[in-house]
Amino acid sequence: MFSLGAIKIPTVAFLRKQLNTTALIEFGKYIQKVFPAVFSTEFIQHEVVGEYSYLFTVRGSDPQLMPYMLLAHMDVVPASEEGWKFPPFSAEEDEGYIYGRGTLDNKNSAIGILQALEFLLRRNYRPRRSFYIGIGHDEEVSGLDGGKQIAMLLQARGVKLSFLLDEGSGILDGVIEGIKSPVALIAVTEKGSLTLNLTVRSDPGHSSAPPKETSIGILAAAVSRLEKNPMPRLFGYGPELMMFEHLASEFAFPLNIVMKNLWLFSPLVSRIIERKPTGNSMVRTTTALTIFKAGIKFNVIPHLASAAVNFRIHPAQKVAEVLEIVKDTIDDDRVEITVTEAFDPLPISPWDDQALGVQIFRRTIMDVFPHVSSIAPGVCIGNTDSRHFTNLTDAIYRFNPVVLKADDVSRIHGWNERISVKDYEKQVEFLFQLIQNSDIDKLPKPHLSTHEL
Ligand SMILES: CCCCCCCC/C=C\CCCCCCCC(=O)NCC(=O)O
Ligand SMILES: [Zn+2]
Ligand SMILES: [Zn+2]
């Protein structure tokens, strides 16, 4: 059963320097209380990193096996009180679902990993392969003070990882139009990100004698141009090509033929899938207007208007290219553009028979989710703490072992985020199996089954 207390602790992260530190401390105390074996077992070391994040080092019995890492985070995005069926930090249970901010992103993983380990320890299990668990405290606001510090600490200790598993994708059931059965997408990369601050300054004055254009009007026109002119279609130029080719047999005729021949049909397919927000995120660099600020009083022309625009960069594009397109699209020198944060799309992790992590995930998914009909490489449309770990391994995977239905994706960062009790139990079962399956020293033999990749 989900530790409901974890959801009730409002570990909200607003900005990098605006965290609910009281809640973060409480969360640390909470996990110590509910997972006593994890915190007291002799072969597990726990450390607090960056004041609130946790790093667990689980020393396996065979030092010859290269360690791996499981990553999650305890912080959550803010949640408004209105719009929810139940208050976002009430952890209310209703018709088999637990409601609350963090139930999918990402206390389910943080608690699920520790829960699975606690179960194993109570059965006197000691892993052969060492592993690390990182529970970040600021993933939603960059991960620079939590996840990144954990990565730097491990790097300073000379640690190399065989693979790393973080949040960022899942088992999609009815999310991809045309695919009826659930498919597991393990993201082998994540999109880049660029956040711009746009500012327009104009003379302040009395609203009774307004100028022809105000800072608000100029800025509104600029952001509207960005929204009306989406970034170019790049579908088929990144690993989403691999994803759809792997999933081709899931589509009925004639779509299965189309998906197998994306070299020819990608322009057509991209026009169809871009109609939905999740599909659009696969097709291009997305443009999201997220903050707009201006004005203080109805009869005062404001001096300043500012807006934040967040772009999630398609794997086939780079920050510099996006910035150039933005400048051309705005095409107005009165709009001052400054970069708040920027990074390119992440490297693509291996997806082949030699990739240990992939083989272990594949086996574990088949064990725990036998109804999943395909396991395919995907693209994480958001960003995760795993991006800070590229110096420790080239095998970074993003996969949350949870079934997401069509309306679940918008619950993440939205209203009524929830997880079913059954799905949470499956997540713990997956992690319980994964830790044991990771003890193999050789790659498992190819499995003969319908889960063909
Ligand atoms: C053709 C349709 C393909 C659909 C693929 C969509 C897959 C959606 C699956 C999972 C949901 C996305 C999870 C993203 C995790 C992001 C974690 C996060 O919030 N990080 C902070 C940030 O990105 O700002
Ligand atoms: Zn998250
Ligand atoms: Zn998030």
Side-chain angles (χ1 to χ4, degrees):
M1 180 56 192
F2 206 128
S3 305
L4 297 177
I7 301 300
K8 292 182 181 170
I9 305 171
T11 51
V12 175
F14 283 95
L15 293 169
R16 188 167 166 205
K17 297 290 171 213
Q18 220 180 309
L19 310 172
N20 184 345
T21 53
T22 312
L24 294 173
I25 293 167
E26 194 185 338
F27 194 88
K29 287 189 185 143
Y30 179 81
I31 54 176
Q32 303 208 18
K33 188 179 86 192
V34 294
F35 303 118
V38 173
F39 279 86
S40 62
T41 294
E42 158 275 322
F43 58 81
I44 302 179
Q45 180 196 8
H46 64 267
E47 294 165 90
V48 175
V49 180
E51 286 190 68
Y52 312 103
S53 290
Y54 276 77
L55 170 64
F56 299 86
T57 304
V58 184
R59 249 183 319 106
S61 57
D62 186 348
Q64 300 304 317
L65 299 177
M66 198 174 182
Y68 66 99
M69 183 152 196
L70 304 175
L71 212 51
H73 64 92
M74 64 174 94
D75 58 310
V76 296
V77 290
S80 57
E81 285 295 320
E82 78 280 10
W84 286 70
K85 192 169 177 187
F86 304 103
F89 297 102
S90 65
E92 202 71 49
E93 233 187 292
D94 182 54
E95 297 182 357
Y97 288 92
I98 301 157
Y99 283 76
R101 179 58 88 227
T103 48
L104 287 171
D105 179 15
N106 176 243
K107 287 178 177 171
N108 55 323
S109 297
I111 297 298
I113 294 167
L114 296 174
Q115 180 83 75
L117 181 57
E118 181 81 12
F119 281 151
L120 285 165
L121 295 171
R122 286 190 200 165
R123 289 164 193 223
N124 294 321
Y125 174 82
R126 172 157 192 195
R128 287 184 62 215
R129 188 185 292 275
S130 296
F131 64 100
Y132 298 92
I133 300 170
I135 314 282
H137 74 270
D138 63 343
E139 190 272 350
E140 296 291 1
V141 287
S142 75
L144 293 174
D145 300 308
K148 183 157 190 190
Q149 299 308 314
I150 294 177
M152 282 167 56
L153 181 63
L154 291 176
Q155 204 183 333
R157 290 178 183 165
V159 171
K160 287 282 174 198
L161 300 169
S162 51
F163 63 88
L164 182 148
L165 181 66
D166 196 357
E167 63 166 341
S169 189
I171 298 172
L172 305 190
D173 186 2
V175 176
I176 305 175
E177 226 171 311
I179 298 188
K180 291 218 164 56
S181 37
V183 292
L185 290 187
I186 300 172
V188 290
T189 184
E190 61 188 55
K191 294 178 91 176
S193 181
L194 168 66
T195 305
L196 297 178
N197 195 63
L198 310 182
T199 310
V200 178
R201 292 164 214 274
S202 59
D203 289 342
H206 200 290
S207 65
S208 58
K212 268 214 165 69
E213 285 182 291
T214 60
S215 52
I216 292 184
I218 296 165
L219 184 63
V223 294
S224 171
R225 278 198 292 283
L226 289 177
E227 206 169 52
K228 285 202 175 108
N229 294 283
M231 290 286 159
R233 291 186 187 90
L234 289 171
F235 183 73
Y237 292 94
E240 72 284 352
L241 176 71
M242 231 189 344
M243 165 181 157
F244 279 86
E245 282 174 354
H246 276 82
L247 295 175
S249 56
E250 294 290 332
F251 292 89
F253 178 82
L255 277 178
N256 55 347
I257 307 294
V258 169
M259 297 301 176
K260 272 195 189 106
N261 293 286
L262 282 177
W263 59 273
L264 178 63
F265 293 115
S266 62
L268 171 74
V269 174
S270 59
R271 279 178 170 74
I272 297 169
I273 65 173
E274 73 182 8
R275 290 190 224 147
K276 286 195 175 170
T278 46
N280 186 45
S281 69
M282 285 288 132
V283 167
R284 55 166 50 86
T285 295
T286 50
T287 303
L289 314 179
T290 47
I291 302 176
F292 199 101
K293 287 185 195 158
I296 40 151
K297 196 168 182 308
F298 79 92
N299 59 357
V300 176
I301 304 286
H303 163 52
L304 200 87
S306 71
V309 190
N310 179 236
F311 302 87
R312 298 301 171 117
I313 305 172
H314 186 278
Q317 217 170 25
K318 296 247 192 257
V319 169
E321 199 183 327
V322 176
L323 199 50
E324 274 316 298
I325 298 176
V326 169
K327 285 178 184 162
D328 286 351
T329 308
I330 292 180
D331 194 23
D332 187 339
D333 291 340
R334 295 170 299 176
V335 182
E336 199 181 301
I337 303 173
T338 52
V339 176
T340 309
E341 57 95 49
F343 53 90
D344 286 330
L346 276 292
I348 297 169
S349 303
W351 185 273
D352 57 52
D353 290 346
Q354 294 311 304
L356 178 72
V358 172
Q359 303 311 326
I360 293 171
F361 305 146
R362 190 182 285 179
R363 169 161 286 189
T364 312
I365 291 169
M366 290 191 295
D367 286 348
V368 181
F369 300 99
H371 63 299
V372 161
S373 58
S374 278
I375 301 167
V379 175
C380 177
I381 59 177
N383 295 113
T384 71
D385 268 346
S386 71
R387 69 190 166 89
H388 301 302
F389 288 76
T390 48
N391 287 337
L392 287 113
T393 178
D394 64 354
I396 294 180
Y397 302 95
R398 300 111 184 130
F399 174 70
N400 219 334
V402 174
V403 178
L404 295 172
K405 297 212 192 275
D407 71 338
D408 287 330
V409 178
S410 60
R411 295 175 193 273
I412 301 173
H413 290 204
W415 289 333
N416 294 319
E417 185 178 349
R418 67 180 191 184
I419 192 168
S420 75
V421 173
K422 194 183 103 251
D423 281 345
Y424 175 69
E425 285 169 359
K426 290 297 256 183
Q427 173 154 25
V428 175
E429 192 186 332
F430 174 90
L431 293 159
F432 184 85
Q433 288 297 339
L434 178 82
I435 294 171
Q436 295 175 86
N437 288 348
S438 299
D439 277 344
I440 51 153
D441 42 15
K442 285 200 295 280
L443 288 170
K445 287 207 180 85
H447 217 277
L448 285 177
S449 90
T450 50
H451 294 78
E452 211 24 76
L453 302 179

